[in-house]
Amino acid sequence: MKKLFALLLTLAMVLSLAACGGKDAPAEEENTEDTAVEESTENTEGTESALPTAVEGVLTMATNAAFPPYEYIEGGEIVGIDAEIAAAIAEKLGLEVQIEDMEFDAIIEAVKSGKADIGLAGMTVTPDRAEEVNFTASYATGVQVVIVTEDSAITSVDDLFAEGASNVIGVQRNTTGDLYTTWDLEDAGLATIDRYSKGAEAVQALKTGKVDCVVIDNEPAKAFVAEVEGLKILDTEYILEEYAGAMNKDNAELFEAVNVALEELIADGTVQAIIDTYISAE
Ligand code: GLN
């Protein structure tokens, strides 16, 4: 009986070691002692990090660089609030940052498959997404707003919900603007949703009269409206949201380290300072 117990115990240890090792972690990094987590997260001196990242020593961030001012391309580089937050987190953890640009609706899959360590993309926390990824602490608030032409018959969010409404609404595919208008309006027979891969394309469709309005996050909305003449953002808000980083559910060690670093950056005002350099207070 004792022997059987010992055998089971050994088996359990082997299994938990295998689970901790991570899929691609190099052998020398398979340090599974509890203290290893703390040691590696305290690594702020630029010495090598033992964190289980997709690429050793690198925090790979998945994003869609068409969402100013959170991420956009300037001078051939991906810049913006999320890029700077990733850099600040990585610095605390002794990691480099590598940014991978992709369609917004490919980000969660990149995180789930372990190709990317974190999705930072002005991504709204939703219950459905939270079933697929671990969300970090929220670092910013977003608002879904409605963009219309200056002479539009749509003057408030309520107009979209009015009895007999039949608007064509432009959105960025699989964003919350898409999800909410689909549930609230298309499924209720009050609108048709036109889905674009970039927010800017939806805005162009509004300009050319293909859609009646665009539902999108307020900050990119401001950037797009500033560039296209004859458009405005309605004063009434569609919905308030929280942005957070999306991470792999099976990589608790990295999640813990990144989240602690992010919470410190929120607490000491670094995140707000980054946001303030891109978004002027109104
Ligand atoms: N906040 C929106 C969402 O999470 C849009 C994000 C984006 O387009 N990058 O769905």
Side-chain angles (χ1 to χ4, degrees), residues 145-148 154-157 160 232-237:
V145 294
V146 184
I147 310 176
V148 292
I154 303 167
T155 59
S156 78
V157 170
L160 301 179
K232 65 177 183 188
I233 299 171
L234 294 182
D235 291 336
T236 48
E237 297 166 349

Side-chain angles (χ1 to χ4, degrees), residues 144-149 152 154 160 167-172 175 177-178 181 194 196 198-207 210-217 220-221 224-225 231-234 238:
Q144 291 298 312
V145 294
V146 184
I147 310 176
V148 292
T149 51
S152 177
I154 303 167
L160 301 179
N167 295 297
V168 181
I169 302 178
V171 296
Q172 187 184 354
T175 61
D178 178 5
T181 54
D194 248 5
Y196 296 86
K198 291 191 174 77
E201 289 166 9
V203 172
Q204 273 311 317
L206 174 62
K207 177 73 184 165
K210 282 197 200 119
V211 302
D212 300 308
C213 67
V214 171
V215 175
I216 196 164
D217 301 54
F224 297 145
V225 165
L231 303 182
K232 65 177 183 188
I233 299 171
L234 294 182
Y238 194 99

